[in-house]
């Protein structure tokens, strides 16, 4: 590395005999040398570069040029921890007075410890239902914002974490049902719903309304239904909402009923129980929504749908 002058602790270093010379820094010796006369104009220079060489094709999990782990911006403290290891014999380590040394000394306060536990719970739940990191990050931010509000004090951290994950899914455009979140959480569906409403009110935020299309492709994929059945089910659900055939029914229920109706008219028939297991909807709920759609089924199917079972032979329930 060469330059006309070097700045060391705010002092500009130049060769007194050759002030315009490009100084050379010898990293191995810690010297700054004038190339014209060989004068050492600075010594014992600290190398602030990487201690280890790194290569772009290496897939190391950690960057050896970094000293320590990066701070977590979601935590209030610095998250510094000191660990005292065991003695060479494998037993507990003792000080000069014979007292057992602390195994861990952590500078993390109680608030950060609660946040870390909640963040781990969010990451675990998201991993169980294959949610991407962007949703996990948004859920962590929502939880921290809600955790710091006085209006949410006293609520279970697990309930707030589950509700934060549910809101993050809605805001990122990949909504999950309450039952799906409840299946990977330790909290009941009712408690998650209460925390969901409390967080929205406390943070003065909102979420987009869910529709049948938010669940259609995922449900059909999990049921291994072909593309033409999925298209028919999407068309049925859209027309059912447009004609207001299932007032008061949730989009998940209408989606399940539309899939059942489309599959029964095709050669890839699925039972109400199979669809209910995937959608998280009870058989009786699918049956009730299906009965609302069946009388207008001629208006619901797309014009180019190839019926394997005629409409008049579809099951009545």
């Amino acid at each position: 590395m060469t330059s006309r002058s070097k700045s060391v602790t705010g002092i500009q270093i130049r060769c007194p005999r050759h002030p315009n010379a490009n100084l050379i820094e010898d990293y191995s010796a810690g010297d700054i040398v004038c190339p014209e006369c060989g004068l050492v104009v600075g010594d014992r220079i600290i190398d602030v570069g990487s201690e280890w060489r790194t290569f772009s094709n290496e897939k190391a999990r950690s960057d050896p040029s970094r000293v320590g782990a990066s701070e977590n911006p979601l935590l209030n403290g610095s998250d510094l921890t000191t660990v005292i290891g065991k003695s060479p014999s494998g037993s507990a380590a003792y000080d000069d007075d014979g007292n057992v040394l602390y195994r861990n000394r952590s500078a993390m306060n109680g608030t950060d410890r609660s946040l870390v536990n909640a963040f781990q719970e969010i990451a675990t739940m998201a991993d169980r239902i294959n949610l991407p990191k962007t949703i996990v990050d948004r859920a962590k931010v929502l939880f921290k914002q809600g955790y710091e509000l006085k209006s949410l004090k006293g609520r279970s951290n697990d309930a707030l974490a589950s509700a934060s994950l549910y809101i993050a899914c809605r805001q990122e455009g990949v909504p999950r049902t309450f039952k799906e979140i409840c299946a990977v959480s330790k909290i009941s569906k009712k408690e998650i719903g209460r925390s969901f409403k409390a967080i929205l009110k406390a943070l003065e935020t909102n979420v987009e309304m869910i529709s049948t299309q938010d669940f259609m492709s995922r449900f059909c994929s999990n049921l291994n239904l072909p593309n033409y059945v999925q298209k028919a089910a999407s068309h049925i659900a859209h027309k059912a909402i447009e004609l207001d055939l299932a007032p008061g029914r949730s989009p998940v229920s209408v989606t399940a009923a539309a899939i059942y109706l489309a599959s029964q008219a095709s050669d890839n028939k699925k039972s109400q129980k199979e669809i209910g297991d995937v959608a998280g909807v009870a058989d009786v709920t699918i049956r009730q929504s299906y009965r609302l759609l069946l009388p207008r089924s001629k208006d619901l199917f797309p014009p180019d749908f190839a019926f394997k079972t005629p409409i008049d032979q579809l099951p009545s329930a």
Side-chain angles (χ1 to χ4, degrees):
M1 178 178 180
T2 62
S3 65
R4 293 185 182 276
S5 65
K6 293 290 182 181
S7 176
V8 180
T9 64
I11 302 175
Q12 295 292 330
I13 299 178
R14 291 185 177 87
C15 178
R17 297 179 182 178
H18 307 90
N20 294 324
N22 292 323
L23 301 180
I24 298 176
E25 187 170 355
D26 185 357
Y27 292 108
S28 60
D31 298 334
I32 299 178
V33 184
C34 174
E36 299 293 337
C37 61
L39 177 66
V40 178
V41 295
D43 60 353
R44 297 184 180 180
I45 306 302
I46 298 175
D47 182 9
V48 296
S50 174
E51 186 175 353
W52 296 272
R53 292 185 300 167
T54 56
F55 302 93
S56 59
N57 59 348
E58 287 186 349
K59 296 181 179 180
R61 291 188 176 182
S62 60
D63 183 6
S65 65
R66 180 184 294 279
V67 180
S70 59
E71 293 187 3
N72 190 337
L74 293 175
L75 300 180
N76 298 322
S78 58
D79 192 18
L80 300 178
T81 302
T82 299
V83 179
I84 301 175
K86 293 183 178 181
S87 64
S89 62
S91 59
Y94 298 89
D95 60 13
D96 296 337
D97 298 327
N99 299 319
V100 179
L101 295 174
Y102 288 108
R103 193 61 52 204
N104 290 290
R105 284 188 178 181
S106 175
M108 186 183 297
N109 56 37
T111 300
D112 282 353
R113 192 174 294 108
S114 298
L115 290 174
V116 168
N117 292 335
F119 294 163
Q120 290 175 347
E121 181 66 21
I122 290 173
T124 301
M125 290 188 294
D127 183 63
R128 290 176 180 172
I129 51 179
N130 300 318
L131 294 177
K133 188 175 182 298
T134 53
I135 295 179
V136 175
D137 292 341
R138 180 179 283 271
K140 290 179 179 179
V141 172
L142 288 169
F143 178 86
K144 178 176 172 60
Q145 292 174 346
Y147 183 81
E148 294 175 343
L149 294 177
K150 293 182 179 179
S151 58
L152 296 179
K153 294 294 183 181
R155 290 187 177 272
S156 166
N157 285 347
D158 288 338
L160 292 177
S162 301
S164 298
L165 185 61
Y166 176 79
I167 295 173
C169 291
R170 292 274 296 268
Q171 291 181 341
E172 289 293 326
V174 285
R176 295 295 187 267
T177 63
F178 276 119
K179 286 191 176 181
E180 287 178 295
I181 300 297
C182 184
V184 296
S185 173
K186 308 171 185 175
I187 309 301
S188 66
K189 177 183 174 183
K190 181 181 292 186
E191 185 62 28
I192 295 176
R194 289 173 180 171
S195 299
F196 162 70
K197 294 179 180 178
I199 291 176
L200 291 184
K201 183 178 179 180
L203 298 181
E204 297 181 353
T205 185
N206 55 14
V207 292
E208 296 291 334
M209 294 295 294
I210 57 176
S211 67
T212 57
Q213 303 307 314
D214 293 327
F215 307 100
M216 186 64 72
S217 60
R218 184 157 54 89
F219 290 172
C220 290
S221 176
N222 292 337
L223 289 166
N224 296 320
L225 291 173
N227 191 39
Y228 82 96
V229 176
Q230 178 181 330
K231 287 184 177 180
S234 298
H235 189 275
I236 291 171
H238 176 74
K239 294 293 290 184
I241 298 297
E242 182 181 309
L243 298 174
D244 195 23
L245 298 182
R249 298 288 175 177
S250 70
V252 179
S253 302
V254 176
T255 301
I259 293 174
Y260 179 68
L261 178 58
S263 69
Q264 291 300 314
S266 69
D267 53 357
N268 296 90
K269 294 178 172 52
K270 298 293 180 181
S271 66
Q272 294 175 1
K273 186 178 186 309
E274 289 177 297
I275 298 174
D277 290 341
V278 170
V281 180
D283 298 0
V284 64
T285 303
I286 297 177
R287 193 177 305 115
Q288 290 172 352
S289 299
Y290 172 75
R291 287 173 178 171
L292 296 174
L293 305 184
L294 185 60
R296 299 288 299 275
S297 55
K298 291 183 179 179
D299 303 324
L300 299 179
F301 279 92
D304 58 346
F305 183 77
F307 286 91
K308 300 298 181 181
T309 301
I311 291 179
D312 55 357
Q313 296 181 15
L314 293 174
S316 59

